[in-house]
Amino acid sequence: MPSVVSKFLDKSEKAFSKNQSLLSTAVIGTALAAYAYKIGYPLVESLIFKPNRESDSLNNNLVKPNGIKSAANGEVKSATKKPNGVVQTHGDPKTNSAISKRNRLMTGIPNFNLAFILQFIKLVRIMIPSILCAETALLSGHTIFLFLRTFLSIYVANLEGAIVKFIVRKDPNNFVKQLMKWFAVAVPATFINSMIRYLESRIALRFRTRLVEHSYKLYFKNQSYYRVTVLDGRLDNCAQRLTDDIETVASTVSHLYGQITKPCFDILLMAIALANLVKSRNSNLLIGPVIISGVVVVSALVLRLVSPRFGQLVAQEAEKKGYLRHVHGRIVSNAEEIAFYNGHKVEQSHLRSAFRILTQHLEHMFAVKLWFVMLEQFLMKYVWSGTGMIVVSLPVFLPQVIRQVRPKKTISFTSPKQITASQAEPSTSQNSEISEPEDSVSERTHYFTTAKNLLLTGSNAVERLMSSYKDIVELAGHTARVANMFSVLEEASNGIYHKTVVAKKETIGDFEVEFNGDQPVAKGKVFAATHNEIILKNVPIVTPNCDVVCPSLSVNLKSGQHLLITGPNGCGKSSLFRILSGLWPVYGGELTTPRNSMFYIPQRPYMVIGNLRDQIIYPDTYADMINKQITETDLRKIMQMVHLEHILERDTFHEIKDWTDILSGGEKQRMAVARLFYHKPKYALLDECTSAVSIDVESNIYQTAIDMGITLLTITHRPTLWKFHTHILQFDGQGYWEFSELNCTSRMDLKKEKDELLLKPNSDEKTQRLKEINKELGEDDV
């Protein structure tokens, strides 16, 4: 690089007819002016445009917990919460700015502080669960190799000094001996370096394994994977935290251990070696360390003052990357719907917007790092190198300076013949000291080379220590995300949720959700049934957004009483299934359900990863199937019950395919019913689970389920299924309901009357009668 600059200056000198020193001065002056502009411009801009910058916010489309995005003009307005959980927005920019600053102070910025230390200790206890574990053994081995690497560095520094000494002395025999030592030490040195990198990778993998196992344990405890997505709003892009953030934390911690331990060994042993080396030169042992320590402390203070908030920048980068991945995931999950609507332009704009937000943030990070790294390199590379050269030169120059300041006064008697001889050889007389064996040129060269290598290694160690501060601050951002994820998962598994209530509908009936601060309180009681009954006593149906769909529901259902659930859209039919399954909290009343006796089948069944047998026995494993003494012959009979024997003729039970794409909609619904027949639960929660199945096959399936002793709770709009139910729970969409025995004949008569009315011309009487019939049938108005 210096040669390239030199050639550039030569050509510039010829082109502009100017001196190289003048051109160099111009280049350096321009760089300094640009650097001063870079530092001073934000301050000047903040002073000039201060009134206009109060309402500035992050230019992104992320909907924060403390803000609502306006669809009209794209503004993000801040929001506050009332005690009952309602979010209220403010349009005043000054108020928004004050609230934003307050929220930043409350949430805190990831940095090297007490919060980070506590979070890091929590993660360390997970990564290193005990003293006697594999991680401790790996860390001990890593420490030993780091210590050996420091000893080798000292030995190599002395060896290189000896090689240079014998080159200066023109001593080929000793030079060859030292060179053979150089090649001999290369074998253990390369082995130690390779082992250090190997152990660092192994430690990172072990740390990641511990964190992943702990996170998966929390993620699947008490259905936390569902609760943090639906009932809790604190974790954005939980998948990224489980993958990228955990990997980054594990690799960074493993790297930082060597990044901090090795420099500490280097500094300690290099200081001892340098002290012995300086002592051998009969020089002062305090001058050099004082100078070096002063320069290092001043450099550290300067870098600490101008260091950007890398923790905050890294946390924001991870957040924006997660949002970009979230947008990609939405397109993949809803590809068919987007294709039907031809909504690629809108989705493309969302993707471009998310990527533009990420690139803008990365450009900001690059700009911040550019000037900080430049200052860091200037201090650590050039200032420290110059200081090292001064310290190395002190034992060489100070004795000569002292002699010149205080010359020795000696009286010598020489003959004219001796004077003539001394005049003939002035160089020998003037350099009598240099030619002495204990301070020859080769000895000084040996000292300088060894001291230079030791100082270089020590300065690199200090540089790594100071650079590690930036890595620690960046680690704080990822540590905060991972520690926060663990805390939220633990609280969610224990039924503690924190979700921002965006809106609150009008209260229906007498029930109102009780709030503790800004969070709803689930005051309902849940009991385990003793006789396989389902009892709801004054249980409200409340959505995760705290919308009261039904203020109070009381139902007593026994085994064998097949329940038909009807009502218009949004009346709480599917919400009731979520409450019965324990997915949603009970905000009031008493709920009694049998444990592990209900099986839910949605309208869009879930096909798992695995073979055909896994689709039938899910969520059981093959070992569970063997323990239940169920054979493949039994599975064939189940496939015949749901009219899927043709799949067995085409594929075997051990065939692994993408069953979501291979099976049609009706086949997937029948496969879900096959799971029902395999598990044989006491109750089956059927949510439009046979809407894509033909009527004759559907009737056979329902009759088979009744014959197997399964009590049906069905949401359906098909009148052909009414005959398989004994009771009906009918919602009117206004929060009211009616539970009674099902009179299939009267309902069929109403259905027939409705079909006849639809064929008649429109009139007021027809409209009024249709509303009455729809209300009695629990259907939406046409």
Side-chain angles (χ1 to χ4, degrees), residues 531-534 556-564 577 594 597-600 676 680-686 702 704-714 724-727:
H531 299 90
N532 292 324
E533 70 273 14
I534 296 178
N556 192 338
L557 191 68
K558 297 180 180 180
S559 180
Q561 295 179 345
H562 307 286
L563 181 64
L564 177 69
F577 282 175
S597 298
M598 291 187 292
F599 196 86
Y600 173 70
L676 176 67
K680 298 179 182 179
K682 294 295 182 181
Y683 290 89
L685 310 180
L686 310 178
Y702 272 77
T704 303
I706 294 174
D707 295 339
M708 295 176 69
I710 301 174
T711 302
L712 307 178
L713 282 73
T714 307
F724 298 105
H725 298 82
T726 60
H727 292 72

Side-chain angles (χ1 to χ4, degrees), residues 431-702:
N431 299 323
S432 58
E433 278 189 357
I434 299 177
S435 62
E436 290 175 2
E438 64 272 10
D439 196 20
S440 62
V441 174
S442 60
E443 291 296 333
R444 287 200 300 270
T445 305
H446 183 193
Y447 158 76
F448 179 79
T449 305
T450 304
K452 183 199 71 172
N453 290 332
L454 292 176
L455 271 178
L456 184 62
T457 304
S459 65
N460 289 336
V462 178
E463 181 180 355
R464 289 197 300 272
L465 276 179
M466 296 184 65
S467 299
S468 63
Y469 174 78
K470 179 176 64 176
D471 298 332
I472 292 174
V473 175
E474 291 182 356
L475 173 65
H478 295 285
T479 301
R481 288 172 60 85
V482 174
N484 180 48
M485 177 184 68
F486 288 162
S487 300
V488 173
L489 290 176
E490 289 176 357
E491 291 182 0
S493 64
N494 295 325
I496 301 174
Y497 314 113
H498 293 276
K499 187 178 180 66
T500 303
V501 183
V502 177
K504 187 176 180 182
K505 294 183 178 179
E506 296 181 359
T507 304
I508 300 177
D510 298 331
F511 179 79
E512 186 175 354
V513 179
E514 181 178 338
F515 285 84
N516 182 11
D518 58 356
Q519 297 303 318
V521 179
K523 301 178 62 178
K525 298 179 181 179
V526 181
F527 304 98
T530 56
H531 299 90
N532 292 324
E533 70 273 14
I534 296 178
I535 302 174
L536 292 90
K537 185 177 180 181
N538 298 323
V539 175
I541 299 178
V542 183
T543 68
N545 198 36
C546 295
D547 296 331
V548 180
V549 179
C550 178
S552 178
L553 178 62
S554 298
V555 174
N556 192 338
L557 191 68
K558 297 180 180 180
S559 180
Q561 295 179 345
H562 307 286
L563 181 64
L564 177 69
I565 304 174
T566 63
N569 293 331
C571 65
K573 301 187 296 293
S574 300
S575 301
L576 175 61
F577 282 175
R578 296 184 180 100
I579 293 176
L580 293 177
S581 301
L583 299 182
W584 286 6
V586 181
Y587 288 98
E590 298 178 358
L591 173 64
T592 303
T593 56
R595 292 181 177 178
N596 303 321
S597 298
M598 291 187 292
F599 196 86
Y600 173 70
I601 303 181
Q603 187 174 4
R604 296 178 60 182
Y606 172 63
M607 297 291 107
V608 301
I609 299 174
N611 53 33
L612 185 61
R613 181 191 62 233
D614 295 331
Q615 311 307 314
I616 304 174
I617 67 176
Y618 183 79
D620 280 0
T621 61
Y622 182 66
D624 297 329
M625 170 183 160
I626 298 300
N627 293 333
K628 290 181 178 180
Q629 298 181 352
I630 297 178
T631 63
E632 290 189 357
T633 303
D634 298 326
L635 297 183
R636 289 181 180 274
K637 293 180 181 179
I638 292 175
M639 294 290 281
Q640 292 175 358
M641 292 179 185
V642 295
H643 300 271
L644 290 178
E645 61 272 11
H646 63 278
I647 298 180
L648 289 176
E649 297 175 359
R650 183 185 64 198
D651 303 315
T652 64
F653 279 118
H654 307 283
E655 195 77 20
I656 298 178
K657 293 183 178 180
D658 189 358
W659 301 105
T660 302
D661 296 333
I662 291 176
L663 301 180
S664 64
E667 289 175 338
K668 285 186 282 190
Q669 287 188 343
R670 282 179 280 168
M671 187 68 72
V673 176
R675 293 176 187 168
L676 176 67
F677 293 164
Y678 167 82
H679 290 283
K680 298 179 182 179
K682 294 295 182 181
Y683 290 89
L685 310 180
L686 310 178
D687 190 355
E688 295 282 353
C689 66
T690 55
S691 58
V693 181
S694 60
I695 294 178
D696 55 340
V697 174
E698 182 184 50
S699 299
N700 292 333
I701 287 174
Y702 272 77

